[in-house]
Structures are given as structure tokens and as C-alpha cells.
Amino acid sequence: MIWVVATRNQGKTSEIRSLLNNFPIEIKNLNDFGKIPEVEETGNTFEENAYLKASFTSRILGIPALADDSGLVVDVLNGAPGIHSARYGGPDTTDMQNYMKLLEAMKDQPNRHARFECVISIAIPQGQALTYEGRCEGIISEKPMGIHGFGYDPVFFYPPLNKTFAELTLEEKNQVSHRALALKQIQQECDKILI
Ligand code: IMP
């Protein structure tokens, strides 16, 4: 069975593939299907956007699709960057431009509490979908540290391991991340989902 992950992000695809490697499915992403229309993320929540992406991709390609919508939620910034995490610095910004903007917004800010949130929607072409959620609490660091991962990983300090997410190996991040927690629930419900 083939599932498509509704993303062109290789970092995200690798994490999902490695976490679902005990499933009898082949995981592809949008890069494997050439040009298909982009879905507009018009929802106001991670959940709405995950469902929009999963159901659209599944209907267009005619196979089950898994979409994650995720982002960084910073308490003192009233939840920003939130659903706008990928484009926090403006359209076409790099990960580094996004996290440098965040560090600037957090300058001299004593409350640095933040969390990554992830909602995963699994949809089939007929329209039904299942939804899973994961959260991971941490602290926005004063400066970027580490070279692994993607997005805001270099500035997301994870107290239980005393490192930023970018200082963790993929295997370490996959034990604790918001996406891993959502995917672990999917692993546990494997039988139900495949039916
Ligand atoms: P999405 O592709 O619309 O879900 O955008 C999610 C954005 O949130 C990414 O582009 C990153 O900026 C950020 N993000 C989500 N998950 C992670 C993570 O595990 N590490 C670092 N940044 C993340």
C-alpha cells in the first residue's frame, strides 16, 4: 500500500518515514508525483489545515494521504508564530530568517516558554479522516545552537535533555517531538487505521 505525505519537506518526510517504518506501507511525498496543485492553507487552526491538506491530496492522487500541520506556539507572543510558522519572516523566507526574527521578537523577554504542536490528519479519497495531536514543551534559547533538524530546531531548547532540538540526533528527536507523539498514537492504532 502506498501513502503520500502531503509535503515537499524532506526533513519532515524522513521523520515520518522513520516513525512509521513498522507499517506495511510505502511512504512517498509530493516530490514523487510531479506537479500537482497547491492546496491553500486557509484554516485558522493546525487541525483545519491538516485536514485541508490531507483530504485535498488524497482526492487528487486517489490514495491515502497523511498531512501534518505543525508549528511553534510562543506564550508571550500570544501564540505566534503558530499556524504562520513556515512564513513568519515573510513569503519565501529561510528557516534561519524565521528563527532570527523570533529571537529578535524575544529579545530581553524573560518568559521564554514555548511549545511545538502537531496535528496529523489521515484522509482517504472518499473523504473520511482521522486526527491525531502531539505537543512538546520547551524554551526559546537566547541564540541558535546545533546543526540537525529543520525550522526552529536551533532555537527550541528542550529542558529534559538539556539541548536544543538541533543538537539532538534524528533518533533522539523522534523519541520526544510533537510529531513523534502524534505518530506514536498512529502506530498504536495501526490496525484500525489500515482497515
Ligand atoms: P507546515 O509545513 O505548514 O506544517 O509548517 C510548519 C512549520 O513549523 C515549519 O516550516 C517549521 O518552521 C515549523 N516546525 C514544525 N515542526 C517543526 C520541528 O519539528 N522543528 C522545527 N520547526 C518545526
Side-chain angles (χ1 to χ4, degrees):
M1 190 192 287
I2 296 177
W3 282 16
V4 56
V5 181
T7 184
R8 296 190 184 274
N9 180 327
Q10 292 297 355
K12 208 184 256 187
T13 309
S14 306
E15 287 185 12
I16 292 173
R17 198 174 271 136
S18 108
L19 278 155
L20 295 183
N21 68 358
N22 62 338
F23 262 54
I25 48 174
E26 188 182 341
I27 305 272
K28 293 182 178 276
N29 77 13
L30 296 180
N31 298 328
D32 297 310
F33 294 89
K35 261 195 186 308
I36 63 166
E38 292 278 325
V39 61
E40 283 195 45
E41 293 184 32
T42 51
N44 290 316
T45 61
F46 293 119
E47 190 169 350
E48 283 172 18
N49 284 331
Y51 176 71
L52 280 174
K53 285 188 273 189
S55 66
F56 178 81
T57 307
S58 176
R59 277 182 286 127
I60 288 260
L61 294 175
I63 55 176
L66 180 155
D68 111 312
D69 199 52
S70 52
L72 183 67
V73 175
V74 181
D75 286 357
V76 81
L77 300 180
N78 297 320
I83 57 169
H84 306 293
S85 293
R87 286 164 295 280
Y88 184 50
D92 303 322
T93 44
T94 62
D95 284 345
M96 189 190 281
Q97 286 170 316
N98 287 336
Y99 69 65
M100 290 310 288
K101 176 173 173 179
L102 177 69
L103 289 185
E104 186 58 33
M106 294 296 285
K107 211 167 153 198
D108 303 326
Q109 183 55 251
N111 176 2
R112 306 189 73 84
H113 183 258
R115 66 183 173 275
F116 275 125
E117 289 189 25
C118 173
V119 175
I120 294 179
S121 175
I122 300 176
I124 56 173
Q126 290 82 356
Q128 296 99 318
L130 295 165
T131 302
Y132 299 85
E133 275 186 51
R135 287 176 173 210
C136 183
E137 309 283 334
I139 303 285
I140 303 303
S141 61
E142 301 280 347
K143 58 179 176 32
M145 288 177 288
I147 55 163
H148 301 296
F150 68 96
Y152 296 87
D153 283 347
V155 299
F156 186 80
F157 183 80
Y158 183 63
L161 295 178
N162 210 24
K163 286 180 179 172
T164 67
F165 263 14
E167 293 176 304
L168 303 181
T169 63
L170 179 60
E171 289 70 31
E172 287 172 325
K173 184 179 170 188
N174 276 349
Q175 298 296 316
V176 298
S177 81
H178 49 311
R179 192 166 304 102
L181 297 179
L183 284 163
K184 275 180 190 155
Q185 294 173 46
I186 295 175
Q187 279 177 328
Q188 282 157 13
E189 296 198 0
C190 172
D191 297 345
K192 176 176 140 194
I193 295 167
L194 289 176
I195 287 165

